[in-house]
Amino acid sequence: FLGNLREIASGLIVIKLPKLHYLGLNRLEKINGSIQIGGNSQLSYLGLNRLEKINGDIDVYSNSQLSYLGLNRLENVTGTVWIYDNPKICYLSNESFISLGVSEDAIFLHDNAPNCPDCDSECK
């Protein structure tokens, strides 16, 4: 049933669900609050393909298998961006979030993809 959600009236929190492998919210367009996804040791796919606006913070951390975020349609974030300790996420940059209106001092991207292949300079 979560796959059909288009809007969440408050925040979204998904923390420490060790058997969660896939979270497909592919129709979700807006979150009126913050999003916190953390400590999900088996989560490899976070499908937010239609998400356009977050009225709050993004906090994605310590998801050891997460390799796909799907934030390609995101247009506006009103809070802070924290994406850290996700060793399989590549191609994150401050510039991609600055273009969404997030100030550079409100973007924290750390310890993502330390073992990413040397295929692209954006991967570092």
Side-chain angles (χ1 to χ4, degrees), residues 2-36:
L2 291 176
N4 291 322
L5 287 176
R6 292 192 183 273
E7 184 172 336
I8 294 177
S10 58
L12 173 66
I13 299 173
V14 180
I15 298 176
K16 293 186 180 177
L17 297 174
K19 294 185 179 184
L20 181 67
H21 293 271
Y22 177 93
L23 184 57
L25 300 170
N26 294 318
R27 294 179 187 246
L28 185 62
E29 297 172 0
K30 184 177 181 182
I31 298 175
N32 289 313
S34 296
I35 181 171
Q36 184 178 12

Side-chain angles (χ1 to χ4, degrees), residues 60-77:
V60 180
Y61 62 93
S62 300
N63 298 289
S64 60
Q65 299 300 311
L66 187 62
S67 60
Y68 184 78
L69 277 177
L71 295 173
N72 51 328
R73 292 182 106 184
L74 195 59
E75 295 177 1
N76 191 287
V77 177

Side-chain angles (χ1 to χ4, degrees), residues 4-124:
N4 291 322
L5 287 176
R6 292 192 183 273
E7 184 172 336
I8 294 177
S10 58
L12 173 66
I13 299 173
V14 180
I15 298 176
K16 293 186 180 177
L17 297 174
K19 294 185 179 184
L20 181 67
H21 293 271
Y22 177 93
L23 184 57
L25 300 170
N26 294 318
R27 294 179 187 246
L28 185 62
E29 297 172 0
K30 184 177 181 182
I31 298 175
N32 289 313
S34 296
I35 181 171
Q36 184 178 12
I37 311 290
N40 300 292
S41 59
Q42 296 302 310
L43 181 64
S44 62
Y45 180 90
L46 179 56
L48 299 170
N49 300 332
R50 290 193 182 173
L51 186 61
E52 295 177 357
K53 185 169 188 172
I54 298 176
N55 290 320
D57 301 328
I58 298 174
D59 194 0
V60 180
Y61 62 93
S62 300
N63 298 289
S64 60
Q65 299 300 311
L66 187 62
S67 60
Y68 184 78
L69 277 177
L71 295 173
N72 51 328
R73 292 182 106 184
L74 195 59
E75 295 177 1
N76 191 287
V77 177
T78 61
T80 302
V81 176
W82 292 89
I83 300 178
Y84 60 94
D85 193 25
N86 301 286
K88 294 191 176 184
I89 294 179
C90 288
Y91 306 108
L92 288 176
S93 69
N94 285 12
E95 290 75 26
S96 59
F97 292 102
I98 291 170
S99 68
L100 301 174
V102 179
S103 67
E104 188 166 5
D105 60 344
I107 301 169
F108 303 93
L109 307 177
H110 301 287
D111 299 323
N112 297 300
N115 299 317
C116 195
D118 292 327
C119 58
D120 193 313
S121 62
E122 289 185 46
C123 213
K124 297 288 181 192

